[in-house]
Amino acid sequence: MLDGILQGLGTALLPVNLMMVVLGCFIGTFIGMLPGLGPVTAIALMIPITYGLDPSSGIILMAGVYYGAIFGGSTSSILINAPGCSATVVTAFDGYPLACKGQAGKALAIAAFMAYGTERNIAGKQRQEQFGKGSLRGLAAPEAANNAASTGSFVPLLTLGIPGSGTTALILGALVAYGIQPGPRLFMEHPDVFWSVIISMYLGNVVLLILNLPLIPYLARVLAVPRPVLIPMVLLFSLTGVYLVSFNTMDIHVMAIVALIAIGLRLLTFPMAPMLLGFILGGMLEDNLRRALVINDGSLSFLWERPITLAFTVITLTMLLLPVWQWWQARRAPKGELATSH
């Protein structure tokens, strides 16, 4: 194992691979900043370029593009309230209010470094009220989770051959095209690829900071762009991003319908966060539920027959019912106090 790590370190530190880390981070950050163009689009654009590269260099480049796009997606979320990808939606909840307060530089500087609901729950009651209005904690928590998730999704890809996200599914295809089969034997058969990709991620996070910290004052100037100019550009990039996912015009129609519904809900002062999270997580829930039903011959009994699944089911039901119980208790309290006073 030590020999493999040393071999991977030597491969990652080759000048050509260091250049791939920098290039991947730069391209990923730039594409990630464009609303609607997320890491899937960025990786799809890179795949034809990587065919002429060595396997280690190609995968290092795509890995850099991936976490660079996640990092860049937070910039558009913070500055113009237009997430570059679904992973950075939560970043906009507190990042954009901070930018509106003139704290864009501070928001961008910590966006790479501490998940939203957990951080809000453990914060004090006074600090909880600041979430959604420009809380640094509310910005840092989802960004830390995004960075961890983007690199963490490589773990099941490299060790089990199972992509941990839609983006790593594209990288899986690239690995297979190179004639490399991800899985338990990858770090034995191709230690240079396995360890060089992992080591390059550590280098990539340093490169992202070096690239982005000097750009903060210039990126913050986006706020000075007049809205009549900015909004059509955001709309153009969003439409382009939606179309490039599947090249289906029906997706654009669905986007327009959802946008109209969202505008109506905003006018009625409904919070957007639950709808956005439901929209993002709904597809994952459906896919995994279908997979579990296929494995269990169409029966839902797996929800209570296994201890771990039962525990998660109970926790989920508790989380769903707790707000309803709190609302019911809040409605009863004034009546009880009124009766006591009489």
Side-chain angles (χ1 to χ4, degrees):
M1 182 175 175
L2 182 59
D3 291 340
I5 295 174
L6 293 174
Q7 187 178 352
L9 181 62
T11 304
L13 293 178
L14 288 173
V16 64
N17 289 336
L18 290 175
M19 186 178 72
M20 290 299 113
V21 172
V22 176
L23 186 63
C25 289
F26 179 79
I27 294 172
T29 302
F30 178 75
I31 295 177
M33 288 180 186
L34 303 177
L37 304 181
V40 174
T41 305
I43 293 293
L45 292 171
M46 287 295 103
I47 286 178
I49 299 172
T50 60
Y51 285 152
L53 298 174
D54 177 81
S56 297
S57 302
I59 303 303
I60 286 173
L61 174 63
M62 286 192 283
V65 169
Y66 182 19
Y67 47 76
I70 296 292
F71 191 98
S74 64
T75 303
S76 57
S77 294
I78 292 167
L79 293 179
I80 57 176
N81 201 23
C85 59
S86 60
T88 57
V89 167
V90 184
T91 302
F93 296 166
D94 283 286
Y96 183 65
L98 278 170
C100 291
K101 291 177 182 178
Q103 294 180 287
K106 185 185 290 186
L108 289 169
I110 70 159
F113 299 107
M114 264 174 40
Y116 189 80
T118 303
E119 187 68 27
R120 187 178 185 278
N121 288 334
I122 64 176
K125 188 172 182 181
Q126 188 175 358
R127 287 177 172 172
Q128 284 183 1
E129 295 173 357
Q130 296 301 314
F131 277 68
K133 301 176 183 177
S135 167
L136 287 174
R137 285 173 172 240
L139 169 64
E143 277 305 295
N146 282 340
N147 285 348
S150 61
T151 52
S153 62
F154 279 83
V155 174
L157 172 65
L158 297 176
T159 59
L160 301 173
I162 301 171
S165 65
T167 310
T168 50
L170 291 175
I171 297 176
L172 172 63
L175 281 168
V176 173
Y178 279 124
I180 298 172
Q181 182 59 50
R185 295 190 59 82
L186 176 62
F187 75 98
M188 296 174 62
E189 296 175 353
H190 300 279
D192 54 330
V193 175
F194 183 88
W195 290 111
S196 63
V197 170
I198 292 175
I199 293 167
S200 73
M201 292 178 186
Y202 291 94
L203 301 173
N205 278 283
V206 177
V207 169
L208 283 173
L209 285 176
I210 295 171
L211 284 175
N212 286 276
L213 284 176
L215 294 176
I216 287 172
Y218 304 100
L219 293 173
R221 292 180 185 176
V222 172
L223 293 171
V225 178
R227 280 189 171 270
V229 176
L230 190 61
I231 291 174
M233 291 175 63
V234 172
L235 186 60
L236 173 64
F237 287 127
S238 299
L239 288 170
T240 304
V242 168
Y243 182 72
L244 287 176
V245 171
S246 61
F247 297 97
N248 190 345
T249 54
M250 184 62 190
D251 291 346
I252 296 177
H253 298 151
V254 172
M255 174 188 170
I257 293 169
V258 172
L260 291 173
I261 294 171
I263 291 171
L265 291 173
R266 264 192 112 96
L267 293 174
L268 294 172
T269 66
F270 277 85
M272 289 292 99
M275 188 184 79
L276 288 168
L277 291 174
F279 187 77
I280 294 166
L281 298 176
M284 300 180 191
L285 176 64
E286 186 178 344
D287 289 342
N288 285 286
L289 178 61
R290 187 186 300 113
R291 189 178 296 115
L293 287 171
V294 169
I295 294 171
N296 208 45
D297 296 327
S299 174
L300 287 170
S301 60
F302 66 90
L303 291 173
W304 56 82
E305 285 182 345
R306 300 181 180 183
I308 296 177
T309 313
L310 178 61
F312 278 113
T313 303
V314 171
I315 292 170
T316 302
L317 291 174
T318 303
M319 296 292 288
L320 288 172
L321 296 175
L322 185 60
V324 178
W325 181 80
Q326 290 176 333
W327 170 79
W328 183 66
Q329 288 291 101
R331 286 196 63 184
R332 288 187 61 195
K335 294 180 181 178
E337 290 173 4
L338 186 63
T340 305
S341 63
H342 283 292

